[in-house]
Amino acid sequence: MESIIVHPKNAMELSALKGVLKEMGIKFEKAHVKSSYNGQKVVKKASDNKNVKPAAAKPSKPKEQ
């Protein structure tokens, strides 16, 4: 199944989200980012992967008509 990441803006939003998930019986897990440096490091790695050029692709064969 698909996963989502939610960024509540304050404690009230977080509490409301947790309450709704519990009432609906949806399992969730807590993830804590201790410092902004760790968060930036993850974002940098994700963006670095997007900028890497894929290995040379094999030339495609022309379609026969």
Side-chain angles (χ1 to χ4, degrees), residues 1-4 26-27:
M1 182 56 57
E2 182 176 60
S3 297
I4 60 171
I26 298 173
K27 292 182 181 179

Side-chain angles (χ1 to χ4, degrees), residues 4 7 13 17 19 23 30 42 48 52 55 58:
I4 60 171
H7 300 277
E13 288 181 359
L17 286 167
E23 285 295 317
K30 300 174 186 177
V42 171
D48 286 348
V52 174
K58 295 179 183 177

